[in-house]
Amino acid sequence: MDTEVDILIIGGGIVGLMCAYKLKKNRPKLEVVLIEKEQYLGDHSTGRNSCVLHSGLYYATNSLKHIHCIEGHKQWLSLSKELDIPINLCGKYIITNKVNDSELDKLYQQAIANNVKDIHYVDSKKIALLKQDLYIEEAIFSKNTGIIDIGDALKKLRYRFEADGGIILTSHQMIDLEIKSKHFKTTIKNKDNTLKISSQVLVNASGLEAINIRKKLNLDDMGNYYAKGNYLKVSPDPKYKKLIYPIPDKDLSNLGIHSTIDFEGRNRFGPSYQLCDDIDYSMKNSCIEEMFKSISSNFKNIEMSMLSLDYCGIRPKVVDQNGLIKKDFIFNTEEFHKIDNYYEFLGIESPGLTAAPSLADLLVQNL
Ligand SMILES: Cc1cc2nc3c(=O)[nH]c(=O)nc-3n(C[C@H](O)[C@H](O)[C@H](O)COP(=O)(O)OP(=O)(O)OC[C@H]3O[C@@H](n4cnc5c(N)ncnc54)[C@H](O)[C@@H]3O)c2cc1C
């Protein structure tokens, strides 16, 4: 027999979990179930990124990326206090080795247009100091950019959601989906069984699988492709205390191979940008040489022999029927796809981690 619930969320990455947490907090009487096909939450993009809380400086003004990055950043700071989630606002340099680099100035102007707080050009004294480690002529510094302990965030959000009566089923994969009598009938498989959940509302927060899942509802007006990003460990550790980014690609498909910091203070380099057909997290040693070209053009004192494979993540890229790339996040309601009570998050690439609390508000406000 079907189990009946009010809301079923597919996907236990940060977007699905944040939606679950906020729904239960704002509408405590609703029965909310989240299913995740992996054994652990956050095993895909959410656990395979730079863990950077972005300030919102890159994105087209008033795009969803801009609006939700700024609001999401603000909300993470409150959540960090409320749930005791570690955040380190270490700050970030964006550097160039050109003098009077118009690309750097464009970024600075974009940041100002986006109302990004605490961003400034780095003075010449500081540039001289940075020259010890970097090929640098100019830089801007974003004081509000930092890192978040996403593993801890997932744990705390999950705990609160479950304490509020929400249900999370890990190792449960949605394998089929249909609409009958205005209800979503979702077939779910775990190791031993197949079960059916009937829900009034369905939320597709399945990240890399989101386009495939909407096809089960006969929505085939969008396609997707993937772009892999590799990360490298570096030893001995250069001990950079701040995030260091190059000028990004012009179309912002990639923010560029940067140095990140984790909560143990270790640096790593990444992510690269490489189109791929499948969700395959294997890494090839050949990427070290490719990435070294970019790393060694910005970072001094880094030898190729200091680099080794760490992990990789995959970005979901959405295209429309004409093959045009959708550059912004997509949040669709029935207004777009004409299916009542179905909500979908598509193309949630960077800065999706930062934006997640605010993206979840979109769902809560629309229900
Ligand atoms: C290389 C890289 C670097 C990034 N760096 C940053 C950064 O520094 N800062 C930032 O803000 N953002 C960053 N991002 C973006 C950020 O990681 C993502 O936007 C965010 O994690 C997306 O979360 P999600 O919940 O949408 O997707 P995911 O984390 O992928 O979660 C989707 C979940 O759905 C599950 N699922 C799929 N199909 C099914 C099914 N049939 N049944 C049940 N469950 C299913 C999957 O197993 C998965 O766990 C980066 C992304 C990448 C790839």
Side-chain angles (χ1 to χ4, degrees):
M1 220 175 65
D2 287 4
T3 303
E4 285 209 20
V5 300
D6 296 317
I7 302 179
L8 180 69
I9 299 172
I10 306 174
I14 191 58
V15 174
L17 183 61
M18 192 62 84
C19 287
Y21 165 80
K22 288 212 167 191
L23 278 172
K24 206 61 198 157
K25 198 171 173 190
N26 287 284
R27 313 273 285 273
K29 290 201 174 127
L30 288 177
E31 285 172 301
V32 184
V33 173
L34 180 151
I35 56 166
E36 165 53 52
K37 68 179 163 59
E38 307 295 346
Q39 194 181 351
Y40 301 104
L41 301 182
D43 236 17
H44 289 269
S45 301
T46 297
R48 298 169 165 278
N49 56 47
S50 301
C51 287
V52 170
L53 282 187
H54 287 288
S55 65
L57 67 92
Y58 293 104
Y59 317 106
T61 307
N62 292 332
S63 61
L64 294 184
K65 285 187 177 175
H66 164 221
I67 292 166
H68 295 288
C69 183
I70 296 223
E71 176 59 22
H73 184 290
K74 198 168 98 192
Q75 289 196 27
W76 271 122
L77 296 186
S78 309
L79 280 166
S80 156
K81 286 196 187 120
E82 195 184 322
L83 303 180
D84 193 23
I85 297 167
I87 283 178
N88 171 8
L89 289 185
C90 52
K92 140 173 162 175
Y93 291 110
I94 304 179
I95 64 165
T96 175
N97 54 19
K98 290 187 197 148
V99 180
N100 292 330
D101 190 337
S102 60
E103 293 303 318
L104 187 69
D105 201 50
K106 259 193 224 159
L107 281 180
Y108 180 72
Q109 297 306 335
Q110 187 69 57
I112 301 300
N114 286 2
N115 210 9
V116 170
K117 303 274 180 284
D118 285 321
I119 184 141
H120 60 81
Y121 266 94
V122 177
D123 65 35
S124 53
K125 259 196 201 157
K126 186 74 196 173
I127 294 282
L129 276 176
L130 290 169
K131 279 189 178 187
Q132 289 171 11
D133 291 318
L134 304 170
Y135 295 105
I136 179 174
E137 292 299 334
E138 293 178 339
I140 53 179
F141 183 66
S142 161
K143 196 172 158 213
N144 269 335
T145 303
I147 52 167
I148 179 166
D149 184 339
I150 187 60
D152 196 68
L154 291 170
K155 222 168 30 190
K156 305 251 166 83
L157 290 166
R158 176 181 189 160
Y159 176 80
R160 289 296 272 263
F161 171 64
E162 290 181 327
D164 288 345
I167 293 174
I168 292 184
L169 302 172
T170 51
S171 304
H172 280 69
Q173 179 173 14
M174 187 242 50
I175 52 167
D176 211 357
L177 185 57
E178 57 181 338
I179 304 173
K180 266 191 197 159
S181 322
K182 295 199 167 177
H183 278 66
F184 297 92
K185 309 279 177 184
T186 306
T187 309
I188 298 161
K189 188 185 81 172
N190 68 12
K191 196 159 65 73
D192 307 310
N193 297 309
T194 300
L195 62 144
K196 281 188 194 278
I197 295 185
S198 168
S199 63
Q200 283 176 28
V201 174
L202 184 74
V203 181
N204 178 356
S206 59
L208 298 166
E209 299 284 357
I211 293 287
N212 293 336
I213 285 180
R214 74 197 295 275
K215 285 187 179 153
K216 304 254 182 213
L217 296 171
N218 298 321
L219 296 172
D220 52 10
D221 54 339
M222 286 185 220
N224 66 330
Y225 64 94
Y226 301 133
K228 193 185 240 187
N230 296 310
Y231 287 88
L232 302 178
K233 289 188 261 201
V234 51
S235 176
D237 196 297
K239 299 198 187 316
Y240 308 131
K241 295 278 182 284
K242 308 214 178 295
L243 302 161
I244 303 166
Y245 280 62
I247 301 278
D249 288 352
K250 280 213 168 96
D251 65 357
L252 288 182
S253 56
N254 183 19
L255 296 186
I257 296 179
H258 46 267
S259 71
T260 66
I261 311 172
D262 65 20
F263 277 83
E264 276 75 50
R266 281 182 308 241
N267 295 132
R268 60 172 60 82
F269 291 110
S272 55
Y273 186 89
Q274 198 185 353
L275 297 184
C276 61
D277 297 325
D278 308 309
I279 303 172
D280 170 7
Y281 295 116
S282 61
M283 292 171 77
K284 292 200 179 109
N285 271 315
S286 57
C287 80
I288 297 179
E289 196 174 340
E290 285 154 28
M291 289 173 72
F292 180 66
K293 281 183 207 144
S294 159
I295 294 165
S296 59
S297 66
N298 293 310
F299 297 86
K300 290 180 182 169
N301 314 320
I302 303 290
E303 310 278 330
M304 201 160 84
S305 58
M306 293 162 68
L307 303 172
S308 59
L309 302 180
D310 199 349
Y311 62 88
C312 64
I314 297 180
R315 309 162 178 94
K317 299 279 180 184
V318 176
V319 289
D320 69 13
Q321 275 166 321
N322 303 316
L324 283 177
I325 299 169
K326 298 285 202 181
K327 289 194 174 164
D328 206 359
F329 293 150
I330 299 170
F331 172 70
N332 285 333
T333 67
E334 65 250 29
E335 223 174 283
F336 176 82
H337 47 57
K338 314 293 175 221
I339 302 177
D340 283 350
N341 298 322
Y342 168 65
Y343 301 90
E344 57 182 13
F345 293 94
L346 309 176
I348 310 297
E349 53 176 343
S350 189
L353 176 60
T354 312
S358 181
L359 289 173
D361 286 345
L362 278 178
L363 176 70
V364 176
Q365 287 152 12
N366 270 278
L367 268 182

